[in-house]
Amino acid sequence: MITHSVEYLARGLVDRQGRLVEAGEPLASLQLACGGNLGGPLAIPELRAIAVKAGRLGLRLSRPFAALAAEDRIGGWVDAIPVQDGDGGCELGIASWHAEPIAMSDEDGQLARLRRELNRALPEFCARLDPRQAVLTVEASAPDLAELAADMIAGIGRPWTDFATVTGSMHDQPLHWRLLDGVVCEVAGSARRWTAWLEPLGLPEPGSTGFVLTLVSDQAAPVPPDDDAGVSGMPSLGEELAPVLRQPLGRVIAHAEAIRAKLAGPLPDIYAGYAGDMVDAGEHLLALIEDIADLEGVEASDFEVAFERIDLGEAARQAAAILGPRAQERDIVLVPPPQGEGQWARGEFRRVLQILINLIGNAIAYSPEESQVWIRLDREGRRATVTVADQGRGLSDAERSRVFDKFERLGRGGDGGSGLGLYISARLARAMEGELSVESAPGQGARFTLELAALD
Amino acid sequence: MTGPRAQTPADAADHPLRAALARGDRAHARSAPALRHLLAAPDQSLIEEAVVAQVRGMLANLASQLVEARLRSRPVDAATQDAMLARLLLEDDLRAHCQALALEWRLARKLESGLAIDPVLSPLLQAWVAEADAATGSLAMAALAAQARFAQAQRRMQLPLAELPAELFHAVLAAAREVIPDTDADAVAQADARLRGDYEEGASRLALLARLVREAGAQTPRALSVEDAGVALWLSALAARSGESRDRTACAAADPHLGRLLLTLRAAGAMPAEAERQALRIQPDADLPRGLADVGTREAAQWLVDVQP
């Protein structure tokens, strides 16, 4: 037979007259808190009843008890063992002990109920938590809480305090709910100040079946941005998935590359070919993800350009250097502006570089082998320009009008492009208060020109 | 010619046969509604034949344990056992306790066949047994062993004396002193002392379950879900959180009217919808009383207390 061996937290001894003659902590303190003293009558009512009964029946009892101390509600389990000599005394063994702050007064309760009603009636954010304050479900109506809601949904099962910054708190979270009820906190994605209210569920221990968390702000919700892209509020592929996908995709590509190169030993060529397909497909996927991440960045309402004084010549030379190897593969010669030639403009260097890499990359991809791609600088009045010109087949009028559209690939398939590059470049140009344009006619190549405000 | 006849009363109305006749007829008349009730009672009845048999079996088992313990050296005769059983039948609290256990066991069997809930090892108990916390794990193991013994004993319609709560244990020992002839006072006193000395309420199934739901499960809503906790832990948790007695809670779960069960669940802190879901788990085709959503947990607890006699 399996028995549960009990190690007592505290022991006490009650004599025949019901006096607590010996007691360890925390029993002794509770006796004091209940108005008794050591050597005096056992003053903890439920313990006293159990001790008396054990003595009267002459039987070993094992029961739960509850008591109110000055500030705490005490609950626990006690074994009451009648003393062998049978004169009515008994030994108490405290097997477990829980303390929790006392429930509030009736007036406080009224206020709290009113507050709960209000919170329930006007919730901008409401979440159901389990007894450990971990998130179970989330409901948010305020647009600036969408990010918080998405984070919480992605992190269901984690304490809610993982997702909010509780002002002025340095304790390990989550704290006891009474300490968190009514705290001011900040959440990612919202500039407003929030007050968190926790409504405990369950009896007799409040919170024993969980909590309802509501966030209330005394500041009005921001007007939602006029965002036709509709990407806000939804988990974003670019920002959220791209970092997650990059690493495994990188590993797929690297391993497929190793197979293609037969690094691990001889392999039939056909398998090496398959591995090559995997590399290509992987790289395509990766490029697509990067493009989509870029696209979301550009389309986000909070997209901002860090304006600086930049040299378009330097940007053109760097872009050409980066793409030199790819051009060489196709025997294409890149002709950047010569060293020393420059054109100052107002923009953000890395964005300009990104645009030029896109333009030159396209030129390399769509030019015939053994052709040339020129990158030229110019200035017309207050506008500084950089132009990428190729000797490709050129674009018809109809194609020219569509070339900057989203997902436009002008009928070209199988080349690994996402159709987003030019669209993103045009958006970036506009964000820098510039313009991206194209001149072309069939058979005469294409000239893409980025135009920015000139600086002297 | 027979022997001398007894003097018959002058008034025929006082004839003993007529008195016996009247008594018999009254008893018969009383039995009719009882029989009708028994026959008409649906499955969920609190006094279904199987439950009556189970209660009688447990009480008879207790009686024979008492007789054997007190008459160790002497042969145990059937008449003493019958007398002991008859005496135990008078103990209201004991009867109610056995009825609650029988109802608990019947519910456990029903959910085992209907919902595949193991009457001994529930998912929650399993989780607690595997708990890293050594104290919880060992408490849960002890509760599991006790529950396994309970299942075995119920199948045999038995109830070990040691499983009785202290008050009932004390009461049956007192009853035994009345019934069993006290020919060897010393031996009887020794037997009594031994029974009392061996008794340890903390080792009983009900104490272990109560401790487990308070210490391991004070926080978890799983304990209020019968499919997760199993009937035994569920009843203990429900009783502990609602403040109701476990016996009463077990009867509430078997009562086809379900009002008490719903209010007990609510008083224990279950959300109205969850309480109704639990009630339908217990009695799938029940017609639930409406309006639980209007009742707060404190109100529910108050109502439960108000209607108690």
Side-chain angles (χ1 to χ4, degrees), chain A residues 414-455:
Chain A
D415 57 4
S418 64
L420 286 171
L422 282 174
Y423 174 79
I424 293 168
S425 293
R427 291 287 296 242
L428 287 173
R430 239 169 293 148
M432 292 187 287
E433 296 167 13
E435 199 65 53
L436 185 62
S437 56
V438 61
E439 292 172 61
S440 177
Q444 296 183 9
R447 289 161 51 86
F448 284 88
T449 300
L450 170 66
E451 190 182 303
L452 294 173
L455 294 175

mmCIF file of all heavy atoms in Angstrom, chain A residues 414-455:
data_model
loop_
_atom_site.group_PDB
_atom_site.id
_atom_site.type_symbol
_atom_site.label_atom_id
_atom_site.label_comp_id
_atom_site.label_asym_id
_atom_site.label_seq_id
_atom_site.Cartn_x
_atom_site.Cartn_y
_atom_site.Cartn_z
ATOM 1 N N GLY A 414 10.012 32.525 -65.533
ATOM 2 C CA GLY A 414 11.118 31.607 -65.300
ATOM 3 C C GLY A 414 12.447 32.276 -65.054
ATOM 4 O O GLY A 414 13.481 31.621 -65.050
ATOM 5 N N ASP A 415 12.454 33.580 -64.837
ATOM 6 C CA ASP A 415 13.737 34.230 -64.611
ATOM 7 C C ASP A 415 13.970 34.544 -63.136
ATOM 8 O O ASP A 415 14.924 35.221 -62.776
ATOM 9 C CB ASP A 415 13.831 35.514 -65.436
ATOM 10 C CG ASP A 415 12.683 36.462 -65.109
ATOM 11 O OD1 ASP A 415 11.885 36.144 -64.194
ATOM 12 O OD2 ASP A 415 12.577 37.497 -65.764
ATOM 13 N N GLY A 416 13.091 34.089 -62.288
ATOM 14 C CA GLY A 416 13.327 34.265 -60.855
ATOM 15 C C GLY A 416 12.888 35.612 -60.335
ATOM 16 O O GLY A 416 13.056 35.904 -59.161
ATOM 17 N N GLY A 417 12.290 36.449 -61.179
ATOM 18 C CA GLY A 417 11.862 37.757 -60.677
ATOM 19 C C GLY A 417 10.514 37.686 -60.017
ATOM 20 O O GLY A 417 9.691 36.843 -60.342
ATOM 21 N N SER A 418 10.273 38.585 -59.079
ATOM 22 C CA SER A 418 8.989 38.589 -58.392
ATOM 23 C C SER A 418 8.027 39.569 -59.026
ATOM 24 O O SER A 418 6.846 39.567 -58.723
ATOM 25 C CB SER A 418 9.196 38.985 -56.925
ATOM 26 O OG SER A 418 9.680 40.313 -56.868
ATOM 27 N N GLY A 419 8.547 40.443 -59.916
ATOM 28 C CA GLY A 419 7.693 41.472 -60.473
ATOM 29 C C GLY A 419 7.462 42.611 -59.513
ATOM 30 O O GLY A 419 6.590 43.449 -59.717
ATOM 31 N N LEU A 420 8.234 42.651 -58.429
ATOM 32 C CA LEU A 420 8.042 43.701 -57.440
ATOM 33 C C LEU A 420 9.148 44.746 -57.479
ATOM 34 O O LEU A 420 8.985 45.838 -56.939
ATOM 35 C CB LEU A 420 8.004 43.091 -56.030
ATOM 36 C CG LEU A 420 6.731 42.343 -55.693
ATOM 37 C CD1 LEU A 420 6.899 41.598 -54.379
ATOM 38 C CD2 LEU A 420 5.555 43.310 -55.604
ATOM 39 N N GLY A 421 10.283 44.380 -58.098
ATOM 40 C CA GLY A 421 11.474 45.225 -58.013
ATOM 41 C C GLY A 421 11.236 46.650 -58.450
ATOM 42 O O GLY A 421 11.499 47.597 -57.700
ATOM 43 N N LEU A 422 10.679 46.837 -59.639
ATOM 44 C CA LEU A 422 10.494 48.191 -60.150
ATOM 45 C C LEU A 422 9.410 48.934 -59.380
ATOM 46 O O LEU A 422 9.503 50.137 -59.167
ATOM 47 C CB LEU A 422 10.146 48.162 -61.643
ATOM 48 C CG LEU A 422 11.359 47.913 -62.557
ATOM 49 C CD1 LEU A 422 10.920 47.758 -64.006
ATOM 50 C CD2 LEU A 422 12.369 49.061 -62.431
ATOM 51 N N TYR A 423 8.403 48.188 -58.971
ATOM 52 C CA TYR A 423 7.340 48.808 -58.187
ATOM 53 C C TYR A 423 7.928 49.382 -56.898
ATOM 54 O O TYR A 423 7.660 50.523 -56.508
ATOM 55 C CB TYR A 423 6.256 47.773 -57.880
ATOM 56 C CG TYR A 423 5.183 48.273 -56.960
ATOM 57 C CD1 TYR A 423 4.163 49.097 -57.435
ATOM 58 C CD2 TYR A 423 5.186 47.935 -55.605
ATOM 59 C CE1 TYR A 423 3.176 49.561 -56.594
ATOM 60 C CE2 TYR A 423 4.205 48.392 -54.754
ATOM 61 C CZ TYR A 423 3.204 49.205 -55.246
ATOM 62 O OH TYR A 423 2.234 49.655 -54.404
ATOM 63 N N ILE A 424 8.761 48.553 -56.224
ATOM 64 C CA ILE A 424 9.380 49.003 -54.969
ATOM 65 C C ILE A 424 10.290 50.196 -55.243
ATOM 66 O O ILE A 424 10.280 51.197 -54.506
ATOM 67 C CB ILE A 424 10.157 47.845 -54.318
ATOM 68 C CG1 ILE A 424 9.177 46.765 -53.850
ATOM 69 C CG2 ILE A 424 11.016 48.342 -53.166
ATOM 70 C CD1 ILE A 424 9.836 45.473 -53.462
ATOM 71 N N SER A 425 11.075 50.091 -56.319
ATOM 72 C CA SER A 425 12.002 51.186 -56.635
ATOM 73 C C SER A 425 11.250 52.491 -56.861
ATOM 74 O O SER A 425 11.663 53.558 -56.381
ATOM 75 C CB SER A 425 12.827 50.839 -57.878
ATOM 76 O OG SER A 425 13.689 49.766 -57.577
ATOM 77 N N ALA A 426 10.143 52.406 -57.590
ATOM 78 C CA ALA A 426 9.371 53.618 -57.861
ATOM 79 C C ALA A 426 8.810 54.202 -56.566
ATOM 80 O O ALA A 426 8.817 55.422 -56.359
ATOM 81 C CB ALA A 426 8.242 53.302 -58.845
ATOM 82 N N ARG A 427 8.335 53.306 -55.660
ATOM 83 C CA ARG A 427 7.817 53.794 -54.385
ATOM 84 C C ARG A 427 8.921 54.454 -53.559
ATOM 85 O O ARG A 427 8.702 55.476 -52.912
ATOM 86 C CB ARG A 427 7.213 52.634 -53.568
ATOM 87 C CG ARG A 427 5.936 52.050 -54.140
ATOM 88 C CD ARG A 427 4.747 52.992 -53.954
ATOM 89 N NE ARG A 427 4.420 53.216 -52.561
ATOM 90 C CZ ARG A 427 3.249 52.888 -52.010
ATOM 91 N NH1 ARG A 427 2.312 52.335 -52.741
ATOM 92 N NH2 ARG A 427 3.023 53.147 -50.743
ATOM 93 N N LEU A 428 10.112 53.822 -53.597
ATOM 94 C CA LEU A 428 11.234 54.398 -52.851
ATOM 95 C C LEU A 428 11.586 55.776 -53.404
ATOM 96 O O LEU A 428 11.842 56.719 -52.653
ATOM 97 C CB LEU A 428 12.459 53.476 -52.938
ATOM 98 C CG LEU A 428 12.390 52.195 -52.114
ATOM 99 C CD1 LEU A 428 13.605 51.303 -52.430
ATOM 100 C CD2 LEU A 428 12.365 52.520 -50.626
ATOM 101 N N ALA A 429 11.600 55.870 -54.735
ATOM 102 C CA ALA A 429 11.951 57.148 -55.365
ATOM 103 C C ALA A 429 10.970 58.224 -54.918
ATOM 104 O O ALA A 429 11.352 59.330 -54.548
ATOM 105 C CB ALA A 429 11.938 56.993 -56.880
ATOM 106 N N ARG A 430 9.693 57.855 -54.911
ATOM 107 C CA ARG A 430 8.687 58.836 -54.512
ATOM 108 C C ARG A 430 8.838 59.204 -53.035
ATOM 109 O O ARG A 430 8.661 60.359 -52.653
ATOM 110 C CB ARG A 430 7.282 58.287 -54.777
ATOM 111 C CG ARG A 430 6.492 59.167 -55.740
ATOM 112 C CD ARG A 430 5.224 58.480 -56.190
ATOM 113 N NE ARG A 430 5.514 57.308 -57.018
ATOM 114 C CZ ARG A 430 4.759 56.217 -57.039
ATOM 115 N NH1 ARG A 430 3.689 56.127 -56.277
ATOM 116 N NH2 ARG A 430 5.072 55.219 -57.841
ATOM 117 N N ALA A 431 9.194 58.198 -52.212
ATOM 118 C CA ALA A 431 9.394 58.481 -50.793
ATOM 119 C C ALA A 431 10.527 59.475 -50.581
ATOM 120 O O ALA A 431 10.535 60.215 -49.612
ATOM 121 C CB ALA A 431 9.674 57.183 -50.034
ATOM 122 N N MET A 432 11.490 59.451 -51.521
ATOM 123 C CA MET A 432 12.607 60.406 -51.405
ATOM 124 C C MET A 432 12.293 61.700 -52.167
ATOM 125 O O MET A 432 13.201 62.450 -52.514
ATOM 126 C CB MET A 432 13.899 59.764 -51.935
ATOM 127 C CG MET A 432 14.382 58.632 -51.031
ATOM 128 S SD MET A 432 15.999 57.977 -51.497
ATOM 129 C CE MET A 432 15.607 57.074 -52.980
ATOM 130 N N GLU A 433 11.019 61.898 -52.457
ATOM 131 C CA GLU A 433 10.546 63.085 -53.171
ATOM 132 C C GLU A 433 11.163 63.164 -54.550
ATOM 133 O O GLU A 433 11.447 64.253 -55.068
ATOM 134 C CB GLU A 433 10.835 64.356 -52.350
ATOM 135 C CG GLU A 433 10.059 64.352 -51.042
ATOM 136 C CD GLU A 433 10.556 65.418 -50.069
ATOM 137 O OE1 GLU A 433 11.310 66.300 -50.501
ATOM 138 O OE2 GLU A 433 10.175 65.353 -48.891
ATOM 139 N N GLY A 434 11.401 62.012 -55.125
ATOM 140 C CA GLY A 434 11.971 61.950 -56.469
ATOM 141 C C GLY A 434 11.051 61.193 -57.403
ATOM 142 O O GLY A 434 9.862 61.023 -57.125
ATOM 143 N N GLU A 435 11.601 60.729 -58.487
ATOM 144 C CA GLU A 435 10.795 60.092 -59.523
ATOM 145 C C GLU A 435 11.627 59.029 -60.212
ATOM 146 O O GLU A 435 12.836 59.189 -60.402
ATOM 147 C CB GLU A 435 10.363 61.158 -60.540
ATOM 148 C CG GLU A 435 9.183 60.773 -61.398
ATOM 149 C CD GLU A 435 7.909 60.598 -60.582
ATOM 150 O OE1 GLU A 435 7.554 61.536 -59.822
ATOM 151 O OE2 GLU A 435 7.280 59.537 -60.710
ATOM 152 N N LEU A 436 10.968 57.958 -60.566
ATOM 153 C CA LEU A 436 11.633 56.953 -61.392
ATOM 154 C C LEU A 436 10.853 56.874 -62.694
ATOM 155 O O LEU A 436 9.633 56.723 -62.682
ATOM 156 C CB LEU A 436 11.627 55.594 -60.674
ATOM 157 C CG LEU A 436 12.391 54.464 -61.357
ATOM 158 C CD1 LEU A 436 13.878 54.789 -61.466
ATOM 159 C CD2 LEU A 436 12.207 53.146 -60.601
ATOM 160 N N SER A 437 11.551 57.020 -63.840
ATOM 161 C CA SER A 437 10.830 57.024 -65.114
ATOM 162 C C SER A 437 11.581 56.160 -66.126
ATOM 163 O O SER A 437 12.730 55.764 -65.886
ATOM 164 C CB SER A 437 10.715 58.453 -65.644
ATOM 165 O OG SER A 437 12.014 59.016 -65.754
ATOM 166 N N VAL A 438 10.905 55.867 -67.186
ATOM 167 C CA VAL A 438 11.522 55.025 -68.223
ATOM 168 C C VAL A 438 11.279 55.637 -69.591
ATOM 169 O O VAL A 438 10.210 56.183 -69.871
ATOM 170 C CB VAL A 438 10.983 53.570 -68.148
ATOM 171 C CG1 VAL A 438 9.489 53.530 -68.380
ATOM 172 C CG2 VAL A 438 11.700 52.672 -69.152
ATOM 173 N N GLU A 439 12.309 55.564 -70.433
ATOM 174 C CA GLU A 439 12.175 55.929 -71.848
ATOM 175 C C GLU A 439 12.596 54.708 -72.628
ATOM 176 O O GLU A 439 13.635 54.107 -72.324
ATOM 177 C CB GLU A 439 13.127 57.065 -72.224
ATOM 178 C CG GLU A 439 12.827 58.400 -71.610
ATOM 179 C CD GLU A 439 13.975 59.338 -71.931
ATOM 180 O OE1 GLU A 439 14.230 59.590 -73.130
ATOM 181 O OE2 GLU A 439 14.648 59.763 -70.983
ATOM 182 N N SER A 440 11.793 54.360 -73.592
ATOM 183 C CA SER A 440 12.185 53.193 -74.373
ATOM 184 C C SER A 440 11.334 53.109 -75.624
ATOM 185 O O SER A 440 10.217 53.632 -75.673
ATOM 186 C CB SER A 440 12.009 51.917 -73.546
ATOM 187 O OG SER A 440 12.331 50.799 -74.327
ATOM 188 N N ALA A 441 11.885 52.451 -76.601
ATOM 189 C CA ALA A 441 11.101 52.087 -77.771
ATOM 190 C C ALA A 441 11.568 50.700 -78.175
ATOM 191 O O ALA A 441 12.723 50.340 -77.916
ATOM 192 C CB ALA A 441 11.344 53.078 -78.900
ATOM 193 N N PRO A 442 10.682 49.892 -78.774
ATOM 194 C CA PRO A 442 11.097 48.537 -79.141
ATOM 195 C C PRO A 442 12.355 48.565 -79.991
ATOM 196 O O PRO A 442 12.492 49.388 -80.894
ATOM 197 C CB PRO A 442 9.895 48.007 -79.931
ATOM 198 C CG PRO A 442 8.740 48.809 -79.444
ATOM 199 C CD PRO A 442 9.292 50.160 -79.114
ATOM 200 N N GLY A 443 13.306 47.715 -79.660
ATOM 201 C CA GLY A 443 14.528 47.598 -80.431
ATOM 202 C C GLY A 443 15.594 48.600 -80.076
ATOM 203 O O GLY A 443 16.719 48.528 -80.560
ATOM 204 N N GLN A 444 15.273 49.516 -79.178
ATOM 205 C CA GLN A 444 16.265 50.548 -78.870
ATOM 206 C C GLN A 444 16.736 50.547 -77.421
ATOM 207 O O GLN A 444 17.285 51.544 -76.963
ATOM 208 C CB GLN A 444 15.682 51.925 -79.197
ATOM 209 C CG GLN A 444 15.387 52.085 -80.666
ATOM 210 C CD GLN A 444 14.870 53.463 -80.998
ATOM 211 O OE1 GLN A 444 14.885 54.355 -80.142
ATOM 212 N NE2 GLN A 444 14.423 53.645 -82.225
ATOM 213 N N GLY A 445 16.497 49.474 -76.763
ATOM 214 C CA GLY A 445 16.926 49.425 -75.364
ATOM 215 C C GLY A 445 16.032 50.265 -74.473
ATOM 216 O O GLY A 445 15.085 50.905 -74.945
ATOM 217 N N ALA A 446 16.344 50.233 -73.174
ATOM 218 C CA ALA A 446 15.527 50.995 -72.217
ATOM 219 C C ALA A 446 16.426 51.885 -71.394
ATOM 220 O O ALA A 446 17.578 51.549 -71.135
ATOM 221 C CB ALA A 446 14.753 50.036 -71.307
ATOM 222 N N ARG A 447 15.905 53.067 -71.031
ATOM 223 C CA ARG A 447 16.662 53.989 -70.177
ATOM 224 C C ARG A 447 15.804 54.293 -68.951
ATOM 225 O O ARG A 447 14.795 54.977 -69.062
ATOM 226 C CB ARG A 447 16.966 55.287 -70.943
ATOM 227 C CG ARG A 447 17.986 55.152 -72.034
ATOM 228 C CD ARG A 447 17.882 56.332 -73.013
ATOM 229 N NE ARG A 447 17.900 57.624 -72.324
ATOM 230 C CZ ARG A 447 19.019 58.270 -71.988
ATOM 231 N NH1 ARG A 447 20.195 57.758 -72.309
ATOM 232 N NH2 ARG A 447 18.970 59.426 -71.360
ATOM 233 N N PHE A 448 16.242 53.794 -67.796
ATOM 234 C CA PHE A 448 15.533 54.078 -66.542
ATOM 235 C C PHE A 448 16.262 55.214 -65.839
ATOM 236 O O PHE A 448 17.481 55.156 -65.681
ATOM 237 C CB PHE A 448 15.510 52.844 -65.634
ATOM 238 C CG PHE A 448 14.521 51.805 -66.090
ATOM 239 C CD1 PHE A 448 14.903 50.824 -67.006
ATOM 240 C CD2 PHE A 448 13.219 51.806 -65.619
ATOM 241 C CE1 PHE A 448 13.986 49.874 -67.418
ATOM 242 C CE2 PHE A 448 12.299 50.855 -66.033
ATOM 243 C CZ PHE A 448 12.679 49.884 -66.942
ATOM 244 N N THR A 449 15.522 56.234 -65.435
ATOM 245 C CA THR A 449 16.143 57.400 -64.832
ATOM 246 C C THR A 449 15.561 57.665 -63.444
ATOM 247 O O THR A 449 14.337 57.751 -63.279
ATOM 248 C CB THR A 449 15.921 58.643 -65.712
ATOM 249 O OG1 THR A 449 16.513 58.392 -66.978
ATOM 250 C CG2 THR A 449 16.578 59.863 -65.080
ATOM 251 N N LEU A 450 16.477 57.752 -62.482
ATOM 252 C CA LEU A 450 16.084 58.149 -61.128
ATOM 253 C C LEU A 450 16.410 59.620 -60.965
ATOM 254 O O LEU A 450 17.524 60.047 -61.246
ATOM 255 C CB LEU A 450 16.855 57.330 -60.081
ATOM 256 C CG LEU A 450 16.714 57.806 -58.633
ATOM 257 C CD1 LEU A 450 15.289 57.645 -58.126
ATOM 258 C CD2 LEU A 450 17.691 57.052 -57.722
ATOM 259 N N GLU A 451 15.409 60.357 -60.512
ATOM 260 C CA GLU A 451 15.552 61.800 -60.440
ATOM 261 C C GLU A 451 15.323 62.233 -58.994
ATOM 262 O O GLU A 451 14.325 61.863 -58.378
ATOM 263 C CB GLU A 451 14.456 62.392 -61.337
ATOM 264 C CG GLU A 451 14.558 63.852 -61.607
ATOM 265 C CD GLU A 451 13.377 64.280 -62.476
ATOM 266 O OE1 GLU A 451 13.208 63.694 -63.581
ATOM 267 O OE2 GLU A 451 12.613 65.149 -62.042
ATOM 268 N N LEU A 452 16.294 62.988 -58.430
ATOM 269 C CA LEU A 452 16.160 63.461 -57.050
ATOM 270 C C LEU A 452 16.471 64.957 -57.002
ATOM 271 O O LEU A 452 16.990 65.511 -57.968
ATOM 272 C CB LEU A 452 17.145 62.720 -56.134
ATOM 273 C CG LEU A 452 16.921 61.235 -55.948
ATOM 274 C CD1 LEU A 452 18.075 60.631 -55.154
ATOM 275 C CD2 LEU A 452 15.593 60.951 -55.262
ATOM 276 N N ALA A 453 16.151 65.561 -55.878
ATOM 277 C CA ALA A 453 16.477 66.980 -55.722
ATOM 278 C C ALA A 453 17.997 67.144 -55.697
ATOM 279 O O ALA A 453 18.684 66.408 -54.981
ATOM 280 C CB ALA A 453 15.871 67.521 -54.437
ATOM 281 N N ALA A 454 18.494 68.085 -56.510
ATOM 282 C CA ALA A 454 19.943 68.277 -56.601
ATOM 283 C C ALA A 454 20.449 69.114 -55.438
ATOM 284 O O ALA A 454 19.727 69.972 -54.916
ATOM 285 C CB ALA A 454 20.283 68.958 -57.925
ATOM 286 N N LEU A 455 21.640 68.835 -54.991
ATOM 287 C CA LEU A 455 22.316 69.653 -53.988
ATOM 288 C C LEU A 455 23.662 70.074 -54.568
ATOM 289 O O LEU A 455 24.252 69.339 -55.357
ATOM 290 C CB LEU A 455 22.530 68.860 -52.695
ATOM 291 C CG LEU A 455 21.267 68.470 -51.922
ATOM 292 C CD1 LEU A 455 21.644 67.578 -50.747
ATOM 293 C CD2 LEU A 455 20.519 69.699 -51.445
#
